[in-house]
Amino acid sequence: LNIAVKNGKVRAPTHIVSTICDDRGEEPTYAGVPISNIIEKEFGVGDVISLLWFKKNLPRYATKFIEMCIILCADHGPCVSGAHNSIVTSRAGKDLVSCLVSGLLTIGPRFGGAIDDAARYFKDAYDRQLKPHEFVETMKKKGIRVPGIGHRIKSRDNRDKRVEFLQKYARLHFPSVKYMEYAVQVETYTLTKANNLVLNVDGAIGSLFLDLLVSCAMFNQQEIDDIVEIGYLNGLFVLARSIGLIGHTFDQKRLKQPLYRHPWEDVLYA
Amino acid sequence: LNIAVKNGKVRAPTHIVSTICDDRGEEPTYAGVPISNIIEKEFGVGDVISLLWFKKNLPRYATKFIEMCIILCADHGPCVSGAHNSIVTSRAGKDLVSCLVSGLLTIGPRFGGAIDDAARYFKDAYDRQLKPHEFVETMKKKGIRVPGIGHRIKSRDNRDKRVEFLQKYARLHFPSVKYMEYAVQVETYTLTKANNLVLNVDGAIGSLFLDLLVSCAMFNQQEIDDIVEIGYLNGLFVLARSIGLIGHTFDQKRLKQPLYRHPWEDVLYA
Amino acid sequence: LNIAVKNGKVRAPTHIVSTICDDRGEEPTYAGVPISNIIEKEFGVGDVISLLWFKKNLPRYATKFIEMCIILCADHGPCVSGAHNSIVTSRAGKDLVSCLVSGLLTIGPRFGGAIDDAARYFKDAYDRQLKPHEFVETMKKKGIRVPGIGHRIKSRDNRDKRVEFLQKYARLHFPSVKYMEYAVQVETYTLTKANNLVLNVDGAIGSLFLDLLVSCAMFNQQEIDDIVEIGYLNGLFVLARSIGLIGHTFDQKRLKQPLYRHPWEDVLYA
Amino acid sequence: LNIAVKNGKVRAPTHIVSTICDDRGEEPTYAGVPISNIIEKEFGVGDVISLLWFKKNLPRYATKFIEMCIILCADHGPCVSGAHNSIVTSRAGKDLVSCLVSGLLTIGPRFGGAIDDAARYFKDAYDRQLKPHEFVETMKKKGIRVPGIGHRIKSRDNRDKRVEFLQKYARLHFPSVKYMEYAVQVETYTLTKANNLVLNVDGAIGSLFLDLLVSCAMFNQQEIDDIVEIGYLNGLFVLARSIGLIGHTFDQKRLKQPLYRHPWEDVLYA
Ligand SMILES: CC(C)(COP(=O)(O)OP(=O)(O)OC[C@H]1O[C@@H](n2cnc3c(N)ncnc32)[C@H](O)[C@@H]1OP(=O)(O)O)[C@@H](O)C(=O)NCCC(=O)NCCS
Ligand SMILES: CC(C)(COP(=O)(O)OP(=O)(O)OC[C@H]1O[C@@H](n2cnc3c(N)ncnc32)[C@H](O)[C@@H]1OP(=O)(O)O)[C@@H](O)C(=O)NCCC(=O)NCCS
Ligand SMILES: CC(C)(COP(=O)(O)OP(=O)(O)OC[C@H]1O[C@@H](n2cnc3c(N)ncnc32)[C@H](O)[C@@H]1OP(=O)(O)O)[C@@H](O)C(=O)NCCC(=O)NCCS
Ligand SMILES: CC(C)(COP(=O)(O)OP(=O)(O)OC[C@H]1O[C@@H](n2cnc3c(N)ncnc32)[C@H](O)[C@@H]1OP(=O)(O)O)[C@@H](O)C(=O)NCCC(=O)NCCS
């Protein structure tokens, strides 16, 4: 920048720096790729995410995996915090953006945060070469449940089809699935503790995303660390669930539901 | 509902009604379709939107059109209201959801609202069988610019490739494109007024979405009116632009940009 | 602005114009009054609102009335939409701003909007010199309930103490209370229809705020119209209720409440 | 709760517990005090905050101090992140709540967070009986600036009147000001390093709030720790600044400002 200023290319240092999308020409470019190119080459939503978030033209097997994650996380019924708040706001007669946003704001450590956490913990444990049982027992000592492990209904003998599908897809298409294999070893150990401590969808996505980043060989170490630290997987969940939250908002408006008031009988006025 | 109560199917009237996603079984269903089905059939993001927003399994040409709209609206550079607010919030050190949301809240009548408006006005004008020049002149009398018409740079002799691509796609795949043809006639008329009053991307999406709804023959009249009135196209823009807003948020965090403060010299303290 | 540019007072047109607070000197000024002045003169919260929203130094009886409105609207229990969403977000472990905001976004036409609506309708009816019964019957024909009229519990013989207190205060301190008197005449008429169609708190605040604006003689007609159109009373409700929403957020955190999930049995999956 | 259920006091465990405001009777109560009581006793905004946030009827000198903090933090011009985002959203034609919220979401570690941080660090240092120079040097070693210390313009010989006013008020009314005295000792030490490292408004509010909590003798140790950990002072800043953000929103609407677009020339497209 300073050199650019000296060379007279820019008169004054600008107040904003931005690197993902240039809208100054005849048509916007996403990470340098003109938008009409993107359309002509029949890029999918995953490819656009790859350009605007990662600034890379990731291979199609990777961007299809991103789309699969979006599809799996798009909704989880009306009872979870996010959908519930969007429903309440929609029934208060507010505009779509307000409804969506009111629900999005519940996403965080307790709702939707498990994918990112799973990626962080699995990465840390694998990179420090902790044996699966060491990892699980260390977590136990710290009093933290292993994110990505455990399911209310599913168990050893009644596996989650979505997890199986993701694993099959990755084994077929990813150059390497070492983080997922590690997660499976963790699962093998936790299953000796209880029947329902299976690898769940959050854990499968979290570990496989690490494999995607590492095995595509398009990111250096610093970039991968940044991605995990900044929490890109949270972005994936947020974007995916937006589809559901918008859906619930429309649903209530279509049904012309009246103002929601929580029932008095369900509140303990302590 | 009342009948269901009487029949003993539900014991008491519930406080919430919800119809798009059932999460009570082993795996969630989107509009009745189990999520593992969706993955196995290699459904795309557009198909999931179709299920969760429209409660229909729209044909693939339609859901691919939805994906194209998302791709085209995903970002438009760092200077527009939405990206700008997300950038400012990211530079204030806030979490991803706060950054995204701060940008989303600028979407409305003046930013992003043209697609829905274009659909509404074109639908109204076409359904009332207004001649294109009648429509344009009526709008002029009301002092409203025709939404979806006009471009800063593009003109009769320098068409917008994105618009041309959308039109080509729809002519090839849609059973009928009568609303788009109407929009083109409107463009023909406005081009006699000024060279840059071309049909822009917003107008193309708005009119083609009407064609999609009508020509797929899966919605009745009431449903189409609801969709246009509730403003589903706004949802499409909101979802699409979320990709860009999340991208800008990550971008600033990656660049470790400091707190933004608007320069004093750029403010008139009146 | 153009003149200022010509006179060389500003070199280039700025991109932002702002008139309520100048922070360029040693200490900020609110509508021209230095902040240390404000503290020394023992101004209250109502006086600061008066400066920053109305750009006027309103008389103390007026700013005390503003404070009374804030106190009356500060909270209304955990069951209303706003408090409920803040509670849900707090239980999702999110930061204070996210919790507050998730609740605020429910404020609008159906929740909190009655004060502004009452002011608008009473102003319109009074200014057009509609007789109270004409006003009520016209509303009935349009199928709109008179905002500010009606109470679940209160009735002719069991008045709302808060309304009585506001009326007493205004009769004592305001130069004129013509809009409130009009609202009372409307109440007299609606009470002939049903016992509970009393003037409620929203109606009392809405009508008295009109009296405040008119009778203090510090606003011209255009300014009053702007204030009613822009919806300053909505601002008053929003600010007031923020106290309660923040309170509910702290309350849940203090109580260390877990993630909220709406009970399945209370949802009709239609 | 379980015992209460067994004893038949409540039929089923409720899903929500709430303790600050009861709206089931004829009029709401704030922490047990009926709202008409509050009006009759001429309680101020600070008293209501005291009831709804702290569940205490704090002495008037304390609640007046709360009001002074709100007044001092109500606004700081149009250039800071919060006001800027509210201005941009207002100019996008959005409703008041969206504008306010878009600005509020920038409040956090870098904007507005210094008060809470000052309280936390001063409390920790004082309670651990660190000598002022030990505290400052330890912070320096950690590479953290002491929050609440330092000013762009003010200096040893040109003190901030607001800080002086707060100190005078507290010395006159608070039973003890030990945390503030500690902060002043810290300032004495930092002033030996540079002329502008004075105790600023954030530091004064942060340290004096600790004195308020401790010296009023109405909170036990656990309660004080909770208040500091949960971050009530952040709530104070958020509520205060809402006045300014709403003011800026109204200001732009009054001025009928058009859609904001950040100037291209001010962006480095890297
Ligand atoms: C699904 C889940 C609630 C199962 O709960 P549960 O069967 O009721 O289990 P309990 O809470 O009774 O715990 C039973 C034992 O399993 C252990 N356990 C439960 N989940 C565990 C996990 N994720 N990792 C390690 N141990 C776990 C418990 O510590 C407990 O051990 P103990 O008996 O030695 O104390 C739980 O596994 C979980 O929360 N998993 C995380 C799920 C996740 O990723 N969620 C994302 C949501 S978006
Ligand atoms: C692109 C645009 C700004 C072009 O503006 P411009 O070339 O500077 O045009 P001007 O404002 O100078 O207007 C020139 C003439 O064209 C007319 N005009 C401009 N846009 C028009 C429209 N959309 N429909 C009809 N007439 C239009 C103006 O009324 C004016 O007519 P007049 O000379 O008889 O008064 C304008 O067409 C526009 O805002 N279009 C809508 C764009 C849209 O859909 N935006 C979506 C944003 S998300
Ligand atoms: C409080 C309230 C719900 C009372 O409802 P209720 O006693 O159940 O009244 P109902 O809905 O049964 O209506 C009874 C009759 O009173 C009429 N009525 C009720 N509220 C009315 C009003 N505000 N203005 C005029 N007529 C009203 C109804 O139209 C109905 O008339 P009808 O029998 O001729 O059809 C209702 O008056 C109301 O919503 N008032 C507005 C309250 C307000 O300002 N709320 C602010 C919320 S923040
Ligand atoms: C006001 C402020 C920007 C002054 O900055 P400045 O005069 O430009 O100071 P510099 O950044 O050049 O630093 C000069 C020296 O003072 C030190 N210093 C600056 N602020 C300090 C602080 N708060 N505590 C301790 N040392 C501080 C710097 O470390 C530096 O020391 P060094 O020369 O040994 O490296 C700075 O003091 C500050 O950020 N203070 C915190 C203000 C605060 O509470 N803000 C709340 C905002 S809502």
Side-chain angles (χ1 to χ4, degrees), chain B residues 25-209:
Chain B
E26 296 221 343
E27 52 167 329
T29 60
Y30 296 167
V33 185
I35 221 173
S36 58
N37 254 31
I38 288 168
I39 291 286
E40 275 159 31
K41 287 189 187 153
E42 304 209 27
F43 272 29
V45 172
D47 298 294
V48 167
I49 291 172
S50 158
L51 290 171
L52 287 172
W53 295 8
F54 300 99
K55 301 175 62 182
K56 312 267 184 206
N57 202 335
L58 289 176
R60 186 70 190 129
Y61 74 80
T63 61
K64 245 194 103 177
F65 178 75
I66 291 177
E67 289 173 12
M68 280 167 53
C69 295
I70 290 178
I71 289 167
L72 288 175
C73 298
D75 202 48
H76 209 271
C79 293
V80 296
S81 307
H84 182 67
N85 273 15
S86 285
I87 287 170
V88 169
T89 309
S90 185
R91 290 175 56 169
K94 298 299 302 283
D95 65 287
L96 170 67
V97 173
S98 298
C99 300
L100 165 61
V101 159
S102 188
L104 283 177
L105 287 162
T106 64
I107 296 176
R110 296 188 195 164
F111 169 56
I115 305 178
D116 246 337
D117 278 350
R120 281 195 194 116
Y121 280 110
F122 285 137
K123 181 170 192 306
D124 181 68
Y126 179 89
D127 292 358
R128 289 196 294 126
Q129 300 187 295
L130 288 187
K131 295 257 179 313
H133 74 268
E134 283 173 345
F135 168 49
V136 175
E137 296 303 331
T138 316
M139 292 293 276
K140 196 185 170 101
K141 254 172 235 148
K142 290 191 206 147
I144 309 173
R145 289 180 166 195
V146 180
I149 292 285
H151 199 281
R152 271 178 307 103
I153 296 171
K154 300 290 173 186
S155 67
R156 189 204 317 264
D157 312 307
N158 170 22
R159 293 300 176 100
D160 189 328
K161 277 190 240 160
R162 295 168 294 170
V163 173
E164 290 184 337
F165 197 90
L166 285 172
Q167 291 177 326
K168 215 174 86 187
Y169 179 87
R171 287 216 169 90
L172 207 60
H173 298 288
F174 284 21
S176 126
V177 289
K178 63 180 185 183
Y179 284 106
M180 186 198 73
E181 297 295 9
Y182 183 73
V184 169
Q185 289 173 35
V186 169
E187 177 192 43
T188 307
Y189 181 73
T190 53
L191 278 176
T192 64
K193 301 195 138 202
N195 224 343
N196 71 333
L197 294 185
V198 293
L199 183 66
N200 60 32
V201 176
D202 299 317
I205 294 178
S207 57
L208 281 169
F209 213 86

Side-chain angles (χ1 to χ4, degrees), chain A residues 112 114 140 145-146 148-152 196-197 200 202:
Chain A
K140 197 185 169 98
R145 290 180 164 195
V146 180
I149 293 285
H151 199 281
R152 272 177 306 105
N196 70 333
L197 294 185
N200 60 31
D202 300 317

Side-chain angles (χ1 to χ4, degrees), chain D residues 110 112 114 140 145-152 190 196-197 200 202:
Chain D
R110 298 189 193 162
K140 195 185 171 100
R145 292 181 164 194
V146 180
I149 292 286
H151 200 281
R152 274 176 306 105
T190 54
N196 71 332
L197 294 185
N200 61 31
D202 299 318

Side-chain angles (χ1 to χ4, degrees), chain C residues 110-114 136 140 144-152 190 194 196-197 200 202:
Chain C
R110 298 189 193 162
F111 169 56
V136 174
K140 198 187 169 97
I144 309 173
R145 290 181 164 195
V146 180
I149 293 286
H151 199 280
R152 274 177 305 106
T190 53
N196 71 333
L197 294 184
N200 61 31
D202 299 318

Side-chain angles (χ1 to χ4, degrees), chain D residues 56 213 217-227:
Chain D
K56 312 267 184 207
L213 291 175
M218 295 176 78
F219 298 93
N220 63 36
Q221 198 52 52
Q222 182 59 45
E223 286 173 329
I224 292 176
D225 289 347
D226 275 3
I227 287 168

Side-chain angles (χ1 to χ4, degrees), chain D residues 57-88:
Chain D
N57 202 334
L58 289 175
R60 185 70 189 131
Y61 75 79
T63 61
K64 244 195 104 178
F65 177 75
I66 290 176
E67 289 172 12
M68 279 167 53
C69 295
I70 290 177
I71 290 167
L72 288 175
C73 298
D75 201 49
H76 209 271
C79 294
V80 295
S81 310
H84 182 67
N85 274 15
S86 285
I87 287 171
V88 169

